Amino acid sequence: MRFLYPLLALQVLAAAAHAQTAPVIPDIALPEAPAPIGAAVAPAVKNPADKPNFIPVPVLFYQQETGFGYGGAILPVWRFGEDSTVRKSNARLIAWYTQKKQSTIQLTHTVFTPNEKFYFAGELSQYDLSFFYYGLGNNTKSSDESTIGYKLFVFDEKFMRRITAHNLYGGLRYRLTNTSKVRVIEDINENRPSLFRNLPQKEQEGGIVSGLGPSLLYEGRDNVLATYRGIYIDAHALFTGKGLGSDYTFQRYQLDLRYFRPLLGSNNTILALQYLGQFHSGSVPFRELGGLGANLGGSQYNNAGLMRGLYEARFRGRQMMTAQAEVRQHLFWRIDGAAFLGAGQVGDKVGEYSFGDTKLAGGAGLRFRFNRRDRLNIRLDYAGGTDTAPSIYFAVGEAF
């Protein structure tokens, strides 16, 4: 069972007085009237709304497997050039350390170059963590819980070039992970070893995964931090092998579909939908399997939180499909509310799926609009799911 208790309310409210409060600038700027011939032209004044933001956020939490943790986050948001039709780029740097000497340094980013000619998105992270492990498959039991730990390095980057005038990009995606110092911290009990010990010895020792493949992206969201309207489609394949320095050879095919639209005639109520399917063939190590319950963020699922309410990778499998729906409602001042529901399943083969084995997760939460100008939210959710007791989840930015 996972407990997460962020103690940020006082810091966030105090910082609100210093946060940017300018109104949101429209995505499409109106044309300017030409200056009269011979008239003096005033020097260009850059719109204050385009000034980069570098917002620090403190982090303090507690989890059963980590003890107390503390750290901080820096959340830069900026636009390249002075064209207000170019969507803003953003990054997120989070670092924390725990009572049990575990740590995370995670840098994720989404970058639009001038004129949105190129698009880059990815992650550079180092983790030293412990997790509860329940085994593999769609029907693992909470009574089989054990604790494992490992170090993980991640470099994942998409290099994309716009290939049409309407948000369609094509390019390559490269992913490198190095899992090391893998160990069983605590067995199921003194008489039952962890199911992790049943994995092939090679996987118990970790190793390098290195893969490259084609990527196709339709990025039609009006704002990538908190979308009001638009469509996002990411389809990519990843091919790993010895030629790329990988210790494992497998293939991954992933499809991520998201749809957003306002309800009730205004941006006060937003419907957000997502489907994500991840499918593997070959020799896939446990760390790279699809996992229901993804709350750490990161690039593997394009920074999405999947099935909030389930413990991190509570169910792991070679083939994974999941969908979630969320309604986001403005309440008052900078406070929004949200209610969400997710469903999913993993298996060795898609043909093994059955309606009765579907896993569910859902809950509700609050959003604090820390930066109204750029729609940067801090969210606090209370959620539970199949075979997982409800917990509190804190994060920066929307789940998807």
Side-chain angles (χ1 to χ4, degrees):
M1 180 177 179
R2 187 184 191 190
F3 299 95
L4 186 57
Y5 300 113
L7 304 179
L8 299 177
L10 293 178
Q11 296 97 320
V12 167
L13 291 173
H18 302 284
Q20 297 291 340
T21 58
V24 175
I25 303 302
D27 290 312
I28 300 177
L30 297 176
E32 298 180 357
I37 296 176
V41 178
V45 177
K46 194 166 184 179
N47 193 321
D50 288 332
K51 182 180 179 181
N53 275 327
F54 295 87
I55 303 175
V57 178
V59 174
L60 180 63
F61 62 90
Y62 175 83
Q63 297 175 199
Q64 183 178 345
E65 68 273 28
T66 65
F68 284 101
Y70 54 89
I74 300 176
L75 310 160
V77 181
W78 73 96
R79 175 182 284 123
F80 282 109
E82 299 183 8
D83 182 357
S84 62
T85 66
V86 174
R87 284 166 289 188
K88 289 191 174 183
S89 302
N90 70 85
R92 180 181 62 186
L93 174 62
I94 296 178
W96 48 260
Y97 187 79
T98 76
Q99 186 180 11
K100 297 184 179 181
K101 299 181 179 181
Q102 295 146 1
S103 62
T104 286
I105 301 176
Q106 182 189 73
L107 172 65
T108 59
H109 62 274
T110 301
V111 175
F112 296 93
T113 66
N115 300 316
E116 298 193 2
K117 185 176 181 180
F118 294 97
Y119 173 97
F120 303 95
E123 173 187 7
L124 178 63
S125 299
Q126 176 71 49
Y127 304 89
D128 185 356
L129 298 174
S130 64
F131 291 97
F132 292 142
Y133 182 79
Y134 301 89
L136 304 181
N138 200 59
N139 295 301
T140 56
K141 302 175 182 179
S142 58
S143 58
D144 288 334
E145 178 182 287
S146 62
T147 306
I148 64 171
Y150 51 79
K151 287 189 174 183
L152 175 67
F153 172 81
V154 177
F155 173 75
D156 191 327
E157 189 69 32
K158 287 189 289 189
F159 309 88
M160 313 285 285
R161 180 187 174 94
R162 193 174 65 190
I163 56 179
T164 74
H166 299 290
N167 302 314
L168 185 63
Y169 294 81
L172 293 173
R173 181 168 188 166
Y174 175 72
R175 180 172 176 85
L176 169 70
T177 67
N178 183 13
T179 306
S180 61
K181 295 188 177 180
V182 187
R183 62 208 183 274
V184 174
I185 298 174
E186 185 176 359
D187 286 306
I188 297 171
N189 57 49
E190 61 182 8
N191 298 316
R192 294 180 62 203
S194 169
L195 296 179
F196 184 79
R197 301 182 190 275
N198 295 336
L199 293 176
Q201 186 62 35
K202 182 179 179 181
E203 290 189 41
Q204 294 184 45
E205 296 171 355
I208 294 174
V209 170
S210 178
L212 180 70
S215 183
L216 190 66
L217 172 71
Y218 182 85
E219 176 53 281
R221 296 176 292 178
D222 62 334
N223 181 302
V224 300
L225 293 173
T227 309
Y228 287 163
R229 55 178 55 80
I231 297 173
Y232 173 94
I233 303 173
D234 175 83
H236 74 267
L238 194 71
F239 302 95
T240 74
K242 293 183 179 179
L244 293 169
S246 180
D247 295 326
Y248 300 88
T249 300
F250 65 89
Q251 299 78 46
R252 170 182 295 155
Y253 306 92
Q254 182 168 303
L255 178 63
D256 184 353
L257 308 175
R258 308 182 196 183
Y259 175 76
F260 306 86
R261 63 166 295 177
L263 300 177
L264 307 178
S266 78
N267 292 333
N268 288 332
T269 308
I270 304 297
L271 173 66
L273 304 173
Q274 182 190 26
Y275 163 85
L276 190 141
Q278 189 181 82
F279 311 99
H280 295 94
S281 61
S283 176
V284 190
F286 84 98
R287 249 295 314 165
E288 293 291 320
L289 294 171
L292 297 181
N295 305 298
L296 286 176
S299 59
Q300 184 167 1
Y301 305 122
N302 302 316
N303 301 316
L306 302 180
M307 295 193 69
R308 283 159 290 166
L310 289 185
Y311 184 75
E312 185 79 23
R314 175 63 183 81
F315 301 94
R316 302 174 188 253
R318 292 169 60 87
Q319 323 303 338
M320 178 186 75
M321 289 195 291
T322 181
Q324 60 180 325
E326 179 168 295
V327 175
R328 303 166 183 170
Q329 176 65 50
H330 177 66
L331 300 177
F332 61 92
W333 189 50
R334 298 176 181 227
I335 306 298
D336 294 347
F340 49 89
L341 179 66
Q345 202 165 152
V346 300
D348 191 56
K349 300 177 181 178
V350 174
E352 297 176 353
Y353 286 8
S354 66
F355 184 79
D357 287 332
T358 301
K359 311 305 179 187
L360 300 175
L366 295 174
R367 309 288 181 266
F368 176 75
R369 185 64 55 90
F370 191 78
N371 177 356
R372 289 191 292 186
R373 191 188 73 190
D374 298 318
R375 302 188 209 166
L376 178 58
N377 291 338
I378 294 174
R379 59 184 170 91
L380 191 67
D381 291 329
Y382 182 75
T386 301
D387 211 22
T388 305
S391 294
I392 297 174
Y393 297 84
F394 166 80
V396 178
E398 294 293 352
F400 66 97

